[in-house]
Amino acid sequence: MPHFVIDCSKNILNFQDSNTILQTVHLTAIDTGLFDEGDIKVRLNPFDKDYLVGGKENDFIHVFANIMEGRTTEQKTNLSTQIVKKLKGLFPHIPFIAMNIRDFEKATYSNKDMV
């Protein structure tokens, strides 16, 4: 925990390699001070077809963050703002860059070390 899943148009990989994108999100999450580095997971899902943004196949980046409950709204706002700023710096020409955060409930979360 946390999990950052990046959906994007495949075309963005013509401008930055996937490792740069993954590392940017990873390092920005660390810089917020909200997570231990070893807990952060980042995945990239590039779409080469079958997507629409504003009714067209426009380039896009959307980060879905799933984090354990307990952070304040201000902390989550800072996290999403910082990640979007960093991605905007890497991709100033991409028209759609966004992020949203969902909280996991501690009571219902489980992983293999817990069972």
Side-chain angles (χ1 to χ4, degrees):
M1 199 69 58
H3 295 268
F4 295 92
V5 180
I6 307 163
D7 284 355
C8 64
S9 52
K10 188 174 181 179
N11 188 50
I12 72 164
L13 298 176
N14 293 326
F15 306 105
Q16 296 287 340
D17 65 277
S18 60
N19 190 53
T20 298
I21 300 164
L22 295 168
Q23 287 294 326
T24 296
V25 171
H26 179 84
L27 294 172
T28 305
I30 292 169
D31 288 346
T32 65
L34 296 175
F35 315 106
D36 292 331
E37 181 174 10
D39 293 337
I40 299 169
K41 290 101 177 155
V42 185
R43 296 183 294 280
L44 182 70
N45 295 316
F47 291 81
D48 61 350
K49 59 180 182 171
D50 299 329
Y51 67 88
L52 295 175
V53 178
K56 301 175 185 170
E57 283 192 9
N58 289 325
D59 287 330
F60 75 97
I61 302 169
H62 191 101
V63 181
F64 297 90
N66 297 290
I67 67 173
M68 188 62 70
E69 66 183 345
R71 276 57 176 220
T72 67
T73 299
E74 292 78 18
Q75 289 171 319
K76 292 186 281 188
T77 298
N78 182 57
L79 173 64
S80 63
T81 300
Q82 293 309 311
I83 288 177
V84 169
K85 280 183 182 179
K86 294 287 186 169
L87 292 172
K88 183 179 175 183
L90 287 177
F91 299 100
H93 60 285
I94 299 297
F96 184 82
I97 301 173
M99 178 173 170
N100 69 291
I101 298 174
R102 295 178 277 204
D103 289 337
F104 275 100
E105 291 181 349
K106 193 172 199 167
T108 61
Y109 178 76
S110 184
N111 65 35
K112 82 173 203 170
D113 293 334
M114 298 168 69
V115 296

